[in-house]
Amino acid sequence: MCGIVAYNGKSNAQERIIHGLEKLEYRGYDSAGIAVVDNGALKYVKSAGRLQNLKDKLEQNPVDGNCGIGHTRWATHGVPNEINSHPHLNTKEDIALVHNGIIENFSTLKEELIADGYTFKTETDTEVIANLLDKHYDGNLSSTVEKVISLLRGTFALAIISSRDPGTLVAARRENPLILGIAEDGVFAASDVPALLNYTRDVIYIENDEVATIQNDGSYSIRKFGEEVEKEIHHIEWSMESASKDGFDHFMIKEIYEQPKVLKDCLLRKVKNDFVDLGETSFTKEEILGFDKIYMSACGTAFHASEIGKRAIEDAIGKEVTAEIASEFKYNMPFLTENSLLIIVSQSGETLDTLTVLREAKDRGAKVLAITNVVGSSIDRESDKVIYCDAGPEISVASTKAYSTQLLSLYLLALDFGYKLGTYDKEFVTDIVKEFESLPEKVEKMFDSRDSIREIAKTIANKKSMFFLGRGLDYLSAKEGALKLKEISYINAVAMPSGELKHGSIALIEEGVPVVTLLSQMELFEKSISNIKEIKARGAYTIAIASEENSALRSVADEVILIPKTHDMYMPLLAVLPQQILAYETSVILGNDVDKPRNLAKSVTVE
């Protein structure tokens, strides 16, 4: 999530905006910028890279004035560089704005604006809004903003200034967070509370489609659909540290709870009118038919997503797909040729093992499609096609929301391939997309199980080892659950197919050994029940994760965690969440550094 800080009042805007942006650096960003109305003129300074780069520029050329906007950007459209950084301006450069979110219909709006004579300097969707404001300007910045946001499809938090209306700051939102901070010397607009705490603890939460107008005398008003809205002022008691985590104890649990939102965001750019639409980020039917073989490669959590994505793509194209761990695949790629497609998955886009595979594939003439969360990363720049996860920055080392969006992106890619090849008809794809659109609500529902999962965590926290079992896709989900527990609790968690346990490893089952078994695949349900009985007879402490239609499991397993039902192929999107929470709660009980586990780094850039 990008950072927005805006201010209008009696004090120096640059000072307050830069200080606020510093408090939002934890969110992750790739560029920064500021714009201020100074003596009736609009001035702006932007810089790629860290906020310090912007501060260095401002030391040489400060921007004075009391009304301004600032931004730290996490790229979603266009590579991370100074040109694409915010604020963005209209062609005449007398309107400036900062924007968090994604404008779905920006391409259509941009074509219309170009036809009207407007020019564009950047690759972003945000610049479209600046020129729309110019096109529809009616002499009043606030009413113009109200008019323009009605034309936008997608999500946004906006802060806007203009030399045409120099004493006014306007802010608006839809789905992306935005608050006002009421201070003695003026009013702030920001994307998050930490930006304001040095100046005020009195905040107003802006709701969807509300437009806030802030004047330089400290007065403000809020309207929705043309009607003025009365808003309550809330007093914040949070500490700086808890504020940056939205009141959560750790970034990991915050990011677990963000999954309903990021699943929605992941769909925003990839679905139109309840149908998958990957546009230029995918391949044509002819190109897909031309690939002699499809390979997938990744590391760690991204590899677990790839293994599940492999099953979905195989179902879509009716051919075998090979998934290989990147650190091994780079030494054994004899069959990958110029006629092959390589699909790589990387949260950071900088994973060196995966990059090595990508580069070898490119040297051989193969096509590469990447699924990554970081625009402008090495993998993004070097791939032929890129599908972005749209998970926003992930601070905790242990990946949670990025994994879920990797899975969803791969499922959408499979649907795209299947429809183009005729495996799936339009009705099937539409039904599945609608099911995906229901997933955020189902994920939200699972948070109700957190207390019961915490009780299970108390039991397993003093164990030295445990097993995660599953059959079919459940085994692949179990691998991710075991990895999460290992990463942050340091318990030796072993994942294996349920049916393989009896071929040697069952010798390790003794009284009290915890065993998590996933049972989301209905075709394999009865066999998995037999496995639970088999290990329970040997004294194991059994934990079952199953769809809510299987509540009878309570008579078989010691503990049962029920999850909502969806199509078996897509159950991994739901099955992972209780495993993430179990790992988190166990780590907390053990007193570990949840967000920064020992020996691990967020981006693995060494071999």
Side-chain angles (χ1 to χ4, degrees):
M1 185 67 70
C2 312
I4 287 176
V5 183
Y7 171 81
N8 196 8
K10 302 173 184 176
S11 300
N12 180 273
Q14 175 186 310
E15 176 188 321
R16 277 152 176 70
I17 290 167
I18 294 299
H19 185 275
L21 292 178
E22 288 175 337
K23 301 303 180 183
L24 299 182
E25 284 192 276
Y26 73 91
R27 294 157 71 98
Y29 65 98
D30 49 56
S31 58
I34 184 171
V36 170
V37 177
D38 181 8
N39 289 321
L42 186 60
K43 298 180 179 179
Y44 63 95
V45 180
K46 307 197 288 184
S47 178
R50 309 310 296 170
L51 187 60
Q52 185 61 48
N53 297 343
L54 177 64
K55 291 163 68 176
D56 291 343
K57 281 190 170 185
L58 288 169
E59 278 191 21
Q60 302 299 317
N61 296 289
V63 287
D64 294 321
N66 306 118
C67 179
I69 55 177
H71 193 265
T72 50
R73 177 183 187 239
W74 174 272
T76 57
H77 288 77
V79 298
N81 58 25
E82 185 173 314
I83 293 173
N84 289 326
S85 61
H86 296 221
H88 287 294
L89 287 78
N90 62 322
T91 302
K92 297 173 188 172
E93 295 199 347
D94 57 7
I95 299 172
L97 75 147
V98 291
H99 167 222
N100 289 349
I102 298 171
I103 304 304
E104 294 177 67
N105 59 335
F106 91 97
S107 294
T108 303
L109 294 170
K110 187 173 184 177
E111 289 173 7
E112 294 171 358
L113 287 164
I114 290 172
D116 289 337
Y118 287 91
T119 58
F120 290 82
K121 298 178 180 178
T122 78
E123 304 167 80
T124 70
D125 52 344
T126 305
E127 194 178 6
V128 164
I129 307 173
N131 280 322
L132 279 175
L133 290 165
D134 179 271
K135 177 179 178 179
H136 294 282
Y137 192 76
D138 60 10
N140 181 284
L141 186 60
S142 183
S143 60
T144 303
V145 171
E146 290 186 48
K147 190 182 305 178
V148 166
I149 65 171
S150 69
L151 305 175
L152 304 179
R153 281 205 326 266
T155 65
F156 54 80
L158 301 169
I160 304 157
I161 58 175
S162 174
S163 57
R164 302 185 198 179
D165 200 344
T168 303
L169 163 66
V170 181
R173 70 155 282 194
R174 183 183 298 156
E175 300 301 336
N176 277 68
L178 189 68
I179 57 174
L180 300 188
I182 313 303
E184 289 185 3
D185 62 351
V187 178
F188 292 83
S191 52
D192 210 348
V193 170
L196 310 179
L197 290 183
N198 267 41
Y199 300 104
T200 182
R201 290 178 179 266
D202 292 329
V203 306
I204 294 172
Y205 294 98
I206 304 300
E207 304 298 333
N208 281 343
D209 292 300
E210 290 181 347
V211 176
T213 304
I214 303 163
Q215 303 296 345
N216 54 12
D217 62 359
S219 64
Y220 63 90
S221 62
I222 300 168
R223 293 163 61 88
K224 183 171 183 175
F225 304 134
E227 299 292 328
E228 193 147 340
V229 180
E230 291 294 325
K231 303 288 289 189
E232 180 182 356
I233 296 177
H234 299 264
H235 187 72
I236 300 295
E237 300 289 356
W238 299 346
S239 68
M240 185 66 208
E241 182 180 6
S242 63
S244 66
K245 297 170 185 169
D246 287 350
F248 289 99
D249 291 332
H250 300 93
F251 282 109
M252 182 178 178
I253 192 65
K254 175 179 179 280
E255 288 158 4
I256 288 172
Y257 272 73
E258 284 176 345
Q259 286 176 104
K261 180 186 183 304
V262 300
L263 289 172
K264 288 181 185 176
D265 290 346
C266 184
L267 290 170
L268 268 176
R269 220 187 327 191
K270 305 171 187 70
V271 168
K272 293 180 182 175
N273 301 318
D274 293 325
F275 198 80
V276 62
D277 185 352
L278 300 181
E280 294 300 313
T281 66
S282 184
F283 293 97
T284 65
K285 175 182 178 179
E286 292 70 28
E287 287 173 319
I288 299 168
L289 289 172
F291 297 131
D292 62 351
K293 181 75 174 176
I294 296 179
Y295 295 89
M296 303 181 70
S297 194
C299 303
T301 286
F303 180 66
H304 296 157
S306 299
E307 288 187 294
I308 294 169
K310 156 187 151 72
R311 300 286 184 93
I313 293 171
E314 285 176 335
D315 185 76
I317 67 174
K319 292 181 181 180
E320 181 186 24
V321 174
T322 300
E324 297 281 358
I325 293 173
S327 58
E328 290 295 312
F329 192 37
K330 62 186 179 182
Y331 300 118
N332 185 29
M333 304 167 63
F335 306 113
L336 192 146
T337 71
E338 62 184 6
N339 297 317
S340 303
L341 169 64
L342 172 67
I343 300 172
I344 56 172
V345 184
S346 169
Q347 184 278 136
S348 68
E350 301 292 348
T351 311
L352 189 56
D353 288 322
T354 310
L355 262 171
T356 305
V357 171
L358 181 158
R359 288 164 179 164
E360 177 62 26
K362 294 289 287 182
D363 286 345
R364 298 182 184 203
K367 291 292 185 183
V368 178
L369 184 151
I371 292 177
T372 185
N373 195 39
V374 181
V375 178
S377 61
S378 297
I379 282 174
D380 176 13
R381 296 193 307 271
E382 297 182 34
S383 299
D384 297 294
K385 305 277 187 179
V386 182
I387 297 174
Y388 301 118
C389 296
D390 296 314
E394 192 175 58
I395 309 301
S396 180
V397 167
S399 179
T400 53
K401 63 177 183 174
Y403 171 79
S404 296
T405 54
Q406 286 167 356
L407 268 185
L408 184 54
S409 298
L410 285 164
Y411 284 141
L412 290 166
L413 179 65
L415 287 180
D416 178 73
F417 279 13
Y419 178 69
K420 287 171 177 172
L421 296 180
T423 309
Y424 308 140
D425 60 23
K426 188 169 186 177
E427 182 180 4
F428 175 85
V429 174
T430 299
D431 287 346
I432 297 301
V433 168
K434 287 181 179 177
E435 182 63 22
F436 287 161
E437 290 169 341
S438 75
L439 288 176
E441 184 179 348
K442 292 179 178 179
V443 171
E444 195 90 45
K445 179 180 178 182
M446 285 192 286
F447 295 139
D448 294 339
S449 301
R450 185 178 171 188
D451 288 344
S452 59
I453 294 173
R454 186 183 296 116
E455 292 303 310
I456 297 171
K458 291 177 183 177
T459 302
I460 70 172
N462 63 349
K463 305 297 183 181
K464 297 298 182 186
S465 62
M466 62 185 292
F467 287 89
F468 283 72
L469 305 179
R471 289 176 177 267
L473 288 173
D474 281 334
Y475 163 55
L476 303 180
S477 293
K479 290 174 72 173
E480 177 60 14
L483 178 61
K484 281 291 144 299
L485 193 75
K486 281 186 282 195
E487 283 179 314
I488 61 172
S489 77
Y490 318 140
I491 293 172
N492 182 24
V494 179
M496 64 173 53
S498 301
E500 185 64 15
L501 186 70
K502 60 183 175 289
H503 296 289
S505 297
I506 200 168
L508 298 174
I509 301 296
E510 57 186 5
E511 191 69 31
V513 171
V515 180
V516 175
T517 304
L518 278 75
L519 304 95
S520 76
Q521 304 297 298
M522 296 315 299
E523 184 181 358
L524 302 167
F525 184 79
E526 292 301 327
K527 290 186 182 295
S528 295
I529 289 285
S530 299
N531 293 130
I532 294 177
K533 291 178 178 177
E534 185 179 38
I535 56 177
K536 191 169 175 58
R538 288 160 174 80
Y541 170 58
T542 55
I543 305 153
I545 298 175
S547 59
E548 53 195 5
E549 61 190 350
N550 295 311
S551 56
L553 265 173
R554 297 190 187 279
S555 63
V556 179
D558 295 301
E559 309 286 354
V560 178
I561 303 169
L562 297 178
I563 58 179
K565 178 65 180 167
T566 186
H567 298 264
D568 277 13
M569 177 68 79
Y570 311 118
M571 284 299 287
L573 275 167
L574 301 173
V576 71
L577 190 126
Q579 298 182 91
Q580 292 171 344
I581 295 174
L582 180 63
Y584 171 78
E585 296 292 354
T586 304
S587 183
V588 170
I589 291 167
L590 291 170
N592 296 337
D593 188 342
V594 175
D595 289 327
K596 297 178 181 177
R598 67 190 187 199
N599 304 331
L600 299 180
K602 187 62 180 171
S603 179
V604 183
T605 56
V606 296
E607 293 188 66

